[in-house]
Amino acid sequence: MTAVETDLTPLLDEIEAEARKSIGRGKVADYIPALARISPERFGMAVCGVDGSEYVAGDADICFSIQSISKVFTLELALKIVGSNALWKRVGREPSGNAFNSLVQLESEQGLPRNPFINAGALVVTDAITARTVSPVLQLLGSVRRCAARQDIYIDEEVAHSEADHGHRNAAIAHLLKSQGNLVAPVEDVLSVYYRQCAIAMTCRDLARAFLPLASGGQQPITGEKLMTPLRAKRINSLLLTCGLYDGVGNFAFRVGIPAKSGVGGGIAAVIPGKYAICVWSPELDELGNSLAGTRALELFARKTKLSIF
Ligand code: DON
C-alpha cells in the first residue's frame, strides 16, 4: 500500500472551524421525526489512511444515522450474492438528475431505476438481498461490521420505526416497482429491510474505516481481510462519483472532486483511491438533501491537500 502523508490533525481542526461557519444555513431532515431531534451543532470528521493511519476532528466518535450511505453496503452485498450480471439487468448506472425519492422517472422508464443509489434503485438492490437470504438484515450488518472492522455496529430501531411510519413515498416506489415486475420479495419485507439499513448507526470513524476497502482495492487494511476485488472497488467508486449525491452530484464533483455518498442523517463518506477514506458529519442539509457543512469540509480538504481525483 502507498504510504500516506503527515499528521492531518491540525488540518482537520482548521477545516472544522471553517466548515462550522456554514451551520445555520441548512435544515436538519425533519421528514423522519427521529432525525429532526439531532443537534445541528454536531460536526465530526475522520480520515483513515490505507496505511492504517487515522485522524479525527470534532464529534468523530458520536453515532449518527447513516441513512443512504447504507446503499453502498447493500450494493456491495447484493453484487456478492446475486452477481453483477443479474443485478445490472435490474438497475442502471447513470445519474438520475432527479431527487433521490422521485417517482417520475421510474414510471417513464418502465421500472428500471437509473442507478442503485436513488431510492428506486436502492429498493431493487435491497430486494435482491431480501429475496435471496434468510436473514437479510443480519447478513447486511455482518457485512458492514466486516467492512468497518468493528463488531458492535447496530441498528437504531427508533429511527427505523420513525421512517416506516412516514415512509409513504418509499412505499409508493416499492409498489410501483412491484407492479412493473422489478421486485421479487413482498413489498413489506423489502421496505422493512430498507428502513433498517438506513437506520444503521455509525460514527465518522466507523464509516471512514468501512470505506477503506474502496480506497485500497478491496482490502480492509485494519484486518487484512479481502472484501471485494479491485475491479469491484473501482466500479463502486465510479458510481459514487456519478450518482453518490443525487441531483447534486455534478456540483459536488465541481466543488470537491472526490467520489462520495451522502445520507440525510448529515453524513458524507468519501474515497480517495489509493490514499484515504473520509467521513464527515454535520446534520444540516442543503435543498437536495446533502450535508451543507459536510460538503464545505470536503471541499476544503480537497483544496488544501490537493487530493481531488482531478
Ligand atoms: O429513503 C429515505 O427517505 C431515507 N431513509 C434515506 C434517504 C437518504 O439518506 C437520501 N440521502 N441523501
Side-chain angles (χ1 to χ4, degrees):
M1 283 292 139
T2 352
V4 290
E5 269 93 87
T6 42
D7 183 6
L8 294 175
T9 316
L11 176 69
L12 296 193
D13 289 341
E14 195 185 312
I15 289 173
E16 176 181 358
E18 183 62 31
R20 273 188 174 281
K21 293 180 188 161
S22 303
I23 296 175
R25 296 189 201 143
K27 198 165 165 289
V28 176
D30 57 4
Y31 75 101
I32 303 170
L35 290 185
R37 292 197 284 274
I38 310 295
S39 163
E41 292 300 320
R42 291 286 188 200
F43 179 96
M45 189 162 182
V47 179
C48 292
V50 295
D51 63 352
S53 54
E54 290 192 359
Y55 309 99
V56 296
D59 300 315
D61 289 309
I62 305 259
C63 279
F64 63 92
S65 190
I66 72 169
Q67 293 293 314
S68 283
I69 300 173
S70 65
K71 294 169 182 173
V72 182
F73 302 120
T74 46
L75 174 63
E76 196 270 321
L77 181 60
L79 286 167
K80 207 171 267 163
I81 291 173
V82 301
S84 52
N85 287 343
L87 193 74
W88 296 125
K89 283 197 180 101
R90 299 179 58 192
V91 60
R93 300 189 293 258
E94 296 294 344
S96 75
N98 275 317
F100 65 86
N101 55 5
S102 172
L103 281 133
V104 181
Q105 225 161 29
L106 193 59
E107 174 69 346
S108 62
E109 297 183 1
Q110 291 82 44
L112 188 75
R114 278 284 176 106
N115 68 65
F117 296 148
I118 51 170
N119 286 14
L123 286 163
V124 168
V125 171
T126 299
D127 176 63
I129 299 168
T130 309
R132 287 280 290 270
T133 50
V134 183
S135 313
V137 175
L138 281 184
Q139 183 106 349
L140 175 63
L141 261 184
S143 184
V144 174
R145 286 170 176 164
R146 267 196 308 282
C147 282
R150 178 172 169 178
Q151 287 312 304
D152 57 352
I153 287 166
Y154 65 97
I155 290 169
D156 184 333
E157 296 291 349
E158 191 200 343
V159 172
H161 284 121
S162 185
E163 180 159 5
D165 288 343
H166 297 81
H168 305 296
R169 279 195 89 81
N170 282 321
I173 294 171
H175 280 287
L176 187 52
L177 282 165
K178 189 76 172 171
S179 77
Q180 290 163 321
N182 201 1
L183 218 62
V184 177
V187 164
E188 292 67 30
D189 294 1
V190 178
L191 286 171
S192 160
V193 176
Y194 177 77
Y195 295 140
R196 297 181 80 207
Q197 77 179 54
C198 288
I200 293 174
M202 290 169 81
T203 68
C204 287
R205 192 192 296 267
D206 294 336
L207 271 168
R209 286 181 180 179
F211 269 57
L212 264 180
L214 293 171
S216 65
Q219 192 176 36
Q220 169 46 272
I222 300 169
T223 57
E225 202 179 346
K226 192 102 188 103
L227 295 168
M228 65 190 98
T229 62
L231 179 64
R232 184 153 292 166
K234 185 215 113 184
R235 287 180 165 171
I236 293 176
N237 289 338
S238 74
L239 292 165
L240 296 179
L241 186 73
T242 53
C243 313
L245 282 95
Y246 311 110
D247 40 346
V249 78
N251 199 35
F252 189 85
F254 185 84
R255 284 179 59 192
V256 181
I258 298 175
K261 183 75 204 80
S262 64
V264 295
I268 306 178
V271 181
I272 303 178
K275 284 208 177 283
Y276 295 115
I278 308 169
C279 179
V280 60
W281 171 48
S282 172
E284 281 187 0
L285 309 177
D286 62 19
E287 62 289 353
L288 303 177
N290 300 315
S291 172
L292 202 81
T295 301
R296 177 73 182 135
L298 288 167
E299 179 180 30
L300 290 166
F301 184 85
R303 191 180 299 167
K304 287 171 189 281
T305 58
K306 299 190 173 52
L307 282 176
S308 149
I309 65 162
F310 298 109

